[in-house]
């Protein structure tokens, strides 16, 4: 449980509020004949502000809290307060949740003294029981900027038994939304989230209930579920705290986008924590074989392999150390750097890229193909450098097909991209296998640019900014 809470506060989950309200500048001292200036409001003390004080400052205060009725489940008359809570969460910055979050939930006290804990933050874990989509009244949609939200009925984990309740969220994992029968398919799915306490109630049979609102539910499946696209490999990652729902933001055959930052770093943190006996292949084929499968291979159906642990071997030609500048990632996930490895893997058949019906656009990789591997550490005997010729072996989850420009692919058409698989692994082994690659000059040019462009692309895409004089993210 202590591992899971680190994963909740991804900066992309919350809309930026443009920073804190600006501090008032001091006015010149007034002269004896001047009209007195109205007093300026004091600058808010954000460092010592409670969650309730913060919400009151952004117009979710006593007038809304008084609409909440303790002692009974949610009723229609409370919807205005619920909608206000959901929309105000958009303005909440991640570091505030980190500071306000309580890792232990006083369940009995929430029942006995609900007003005392209203708007307190608690770490919640448990299992999903049902999901309902709730419509915002039509006349309010435009003013609140929200058309629907979700009520997720859950059973909370607690030492004295499983308390029940409802968590209100603006969105649920995409896989839950597209399932044919979401109420059935999601029952029993594990979740975690930071929950803001709204109210408590007690049912006639003596069972306790609690209502929370949350900026996001993290999804941690414990067993495969084909209906939701959950494979044994994804369960392996979820057990190490990864929010599997984040993978819905990954887009293949495209450059890195901002929303891919969180699943990238969460996957790296998960494989770093993974026990060595679980760092085994979940695919019966290696990367070289999957690259050239014509109908359901890695280049054709990448979504089918997302998160799968796939073995690869090849020649490592370039290694770059990447410093992670994002303090949020450093604190939450314990990552401050990683290494990019540019690897050429042998392929049993040529890989050809060509625009339909235009032979002049034909590009062919005859003997080998470039892939990228990201690892948190390097083994002894492997160092940062260029023009390397080191055979390596890696087993790690597939993240995405990444699109980037190279002279080989983009020389005649600037809009054309090279497509290469990106993997994340926890370690690299020096290989004793002999890898015979017949790399032509064009492909060597691709390799040189691959190391430079991939570093720039991932840095710009994940952090949306990069220092030009150093390799930092």
């Amino acid at each position: 449980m202590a591992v899971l809470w680190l994963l909740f506060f991804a900066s992309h989950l919350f809309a930026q509020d443009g920073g804190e309200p600006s501090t008032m500048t001091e006015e010149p001292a007034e002269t004896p004949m001047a009209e007195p200036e109205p007093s300026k409001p004091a600058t808010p003390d954000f460092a010592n502000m409670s969650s309730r004080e913060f919400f009151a400052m952004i117009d979710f205060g006593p007038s809304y809290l008084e609409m909440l009725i303790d002692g009974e489940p949610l009723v229609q008359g409370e919807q205005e307060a619920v909608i206000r809570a959901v929309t105000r969460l958009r303005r909440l910055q991640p570091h505030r949740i980190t500071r306000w979050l309580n890792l232990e939930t006083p369940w009995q006290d929430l029942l006995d003294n609900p007003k005392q804990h209203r708007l307190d933050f608690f770490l919640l874990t448990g299992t999903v029981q049902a999901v309902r989509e709730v419509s915002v009244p039509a006349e309010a949609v435009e003013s609140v900027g929200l058309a629907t939200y979700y009520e997720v009925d859950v059973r909370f984990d607690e030492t004295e038994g499983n308390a029940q309740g409802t968590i209100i969220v603006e969105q649920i994992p995409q896989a839950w939304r597209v399932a044919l029968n979401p109420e059935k398919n999601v029952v029993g799915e594990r979740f975690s989230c930071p929950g803001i306490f709204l109210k408590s109630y007690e049912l006639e049979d003596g069972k306790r209930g609690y209502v929370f609102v949350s900026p996001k539910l993290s999804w941690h499946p414990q067993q495969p579920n084909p209906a939701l696209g959950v494979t044994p490999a994804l369960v392996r990652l979820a057990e190490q705290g990864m929010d599997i729902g984040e993978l819905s933001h990954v887009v293949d055959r495209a450059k890195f986008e901002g929303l891919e930052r969180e699943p990238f770093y969460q996957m790296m943190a998960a494989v770093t924590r993974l026990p060595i006996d679980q760092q085994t292949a979940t695919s019966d084929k290696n990367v070289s074989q999957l690259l050239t499968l014509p109908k359901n291979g890695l280049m054709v159906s990448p979504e089918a392999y997302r998160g799968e642990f796939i073995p690869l071997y090849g020649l490592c030609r370039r290694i770059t150390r990447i410093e992670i500048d994002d303090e949020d990632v450093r604190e939450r996930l314990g990552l401050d750097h990683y290494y990019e490895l540019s690897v050429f893997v042998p392929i049993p058949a040529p890989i050809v890229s060509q625009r339909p019906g235009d032979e002049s656009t034909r590009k062919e990789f005859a003997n080998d193909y470039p892939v990228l591997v990201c690892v948190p550490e390097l083994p002894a005997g492997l160092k940062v450098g260029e023009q390397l010729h080191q055979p390596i072996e890696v087993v790690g989850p597939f993240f995405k097909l990444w699109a980037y420009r190279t002279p080989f692919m983009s020389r005649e058409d600037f809009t054309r991209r090279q497509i290469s698989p990106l993997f994340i692994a926890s370690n690299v082994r020096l290989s004793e296998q002999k890898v015979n690659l017949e790399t032509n000059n064009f492909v060597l040019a691709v390799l040189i640019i691959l190391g430079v462009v991939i570093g720039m692309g991932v840095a710009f895409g994940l952090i949306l900014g990069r220092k030009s004089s150093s390799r930092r993210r």
Side-chain angles (χ1 to χ4, degrees), residues 124-173:
L124 305 175
T125 63
T127 56
V128 174
Q129 300 301 302
V131 178
R132 293 181 300 279
E133 186 176 22
V134 182
S135 297
V136 173
E139 63 273 14
V141 169
E142 184 175 354
S143 62
V144 301
L146 182 70
T148 62
Y149 59 91
Y150 293 88
E151 294 178 354
V152 183
D153 292 337
V154 303
R155 290 195 181 278
F156 298 108
D157 297 330
E158 61 157 324
T159 56
E160 299 178 0
N162 290 325
Q164 68 183 39
T166 299
I167 300 176
I168 301 162
V169 289
E170 184 170 351
Q171 294 293 344
I172 58 175

Side-chain angles (χ1 to χ4, degrees), residues 186-445:
V186 303
V187 171
E189 291 297 316
R190 294 286 302 175
F191 76 90
S192 63
C193 71
I196 305 169
F197 177 66
L198 294 184
K199 57 179 282 184
S200 61
Y201 57 91
E202 191 165 357
L203 300 176
E204 293 180 357
D205 57 6
K207 292 183 178 179
R208 297 167 291 165
Y210 306 87
V211 178
F212 296 84
V213 62
S214 180
K216 176 180 181 291
L217 286 182
S218 293
W219 179 26
H220 312 288
Q222 291 186 307
Q223 59 187 7
N225 187 334
L228 297 177
V230 179
T231 65
L234 294 182
V235 172
R236 184 184 294 183
L237 294 170
E239 288 175 343
Q240 299 305 317
M242 183 175 180
D243 175 8
I244 300 306
E246 287 290 338
L247 293 175
S248 65
H249 298 303
V250 177
V251 180
D252 291 296
R253 304 180 186 88
K255 64 180 182 179
F256 269 92
E257 300 292 350
L259 290 180
E260 293 177 314
R261 161 191 176 277
E262 187 66 18
F264 175 85
Y265 285 129
Q266 281 202 28
M267 184 177 286
M268 179 167 290
V271 298
T272 301
R273 292 190 292 266
L274 197 65
I276 191 68
D277 61 351
Q278 294 186 35
Q279 298 177 25
T280 55
T282 57
S283 169
D284 59 359
K285 293 182 172 59
N286 61 37
V287 171
S288 296
Q289 295 168 319
L290 291 175
L291 281 171
T292 54
L293 285 182
K295 293 183 179 180
N296 58 351
L298 188 59
M299 302 297 285
V300 180
S301 302
E303 64 283 349
Y305 298 94
R306 190 95 61 224
E308 293 299 313
F309 287 69
I310 306 176
L312 71 82
Y313 70 95
L315 281 180
C316 178
R317 295 292 184 84
R318 179 187 176 99
I319 301 176
T320 305
R321 178 181 168 113
I322 304 298
E323 302 295 334
I324 301 175
D325 282 340
D326 193 322
E327 189 170 344
D328 168 56
V329 171
R330 295 166 69 102
E331 291 183 357
R332 282 190 301 117
L333 304 178
L335 300 172
D336 58 16
H337 72 277
Y338 63 93
Y339 297 88
E340 289 177 346
L341 281 66
S342 298
V343 183
F344 269 29
V345 299
I347 49 178
I351 295 178
V352 176
S353 172
Q354 179 180 320
R355 296 195 185 281
D358 189 352
E359 184 68 24
S360 67
T361 63
R362 179 184 175 88
K363 301 286 185 178
E364 178 177 313
F365 288 88
N367 305 294
D368 45 64
Y369 199 79
V371 302
L372 179 70
V373 181
C374 296
V375 297
E377 298 295 343
L378 295 176
L382 202 56
K383 298 181 179 180
V384 170
E386 301 183 19
Q387 299 181 357
L388 306 176
H389 199 272
Q390 174 62 56
I392 64 168
E393 298 180 27
V394 176
V395 176
F398 167 68
F399 185 70
K400 71 171 288 181
L401 291 182
W402 186 57
Y404 54 95
R405 292 190 183 96
T406 68
F408 178 62
M409 195 63 67
S410 310
R411 186 177 66 247
E412 294 86 7
D413 183 353
F414 186 74
T415 64
R416 197 170 179 185
R417 302 290 189 272
Q418 169 69 40
I419 307 296
S420 287
L422 169 65
F423 296 87
I424 299 173
S426 63
N427 59 70
V428 179
R429 297 185 301 276
L430 303 185
S431 176
E432 297 181 359
Q433 294 189 60
K434 184 177 180 181
V435 183
N436 293 318
L437 300 181
E438 300 177 10
T439 307
N440 61 34
N441 290 334
F442 274 133
V443 174
L444 285 175

Side-chain angles (χ1 to χ4, degrees), residues 55-110:
F55 279 114
M57 187 184 66
I58 59 174
D59 299 325
F60 184 52
S63 62
Y64 287 97
L65 299 183
E66 290 170 359
M67 298 178 185
L68 299 172
I69 305 171
D70 290 301
E72 59 182 79
L74 282 170
V75 296
Q76 186 66 29
E78 297 171 302
Q79 189 177 32
E80 183 178 353
V82 166
I83 293 171
R84 192 71 167 184
V86 171
T87 56
R88 283 303 178 263
L89 281 178
R90 298 169 178 169
R91 302 178 61 180
L92 189 60
Q93 294 177 326
H95 68 276
R96 302 203 181 288
I97 303 180
T98 304
R99 181 161 62 86
W100 292 327
L101 187 71
N102 296 288
L103 301 186
E104 298 293 334
T105 306
W107 297 104
Q108 186 61 46
D109 205 34
L110 294 185

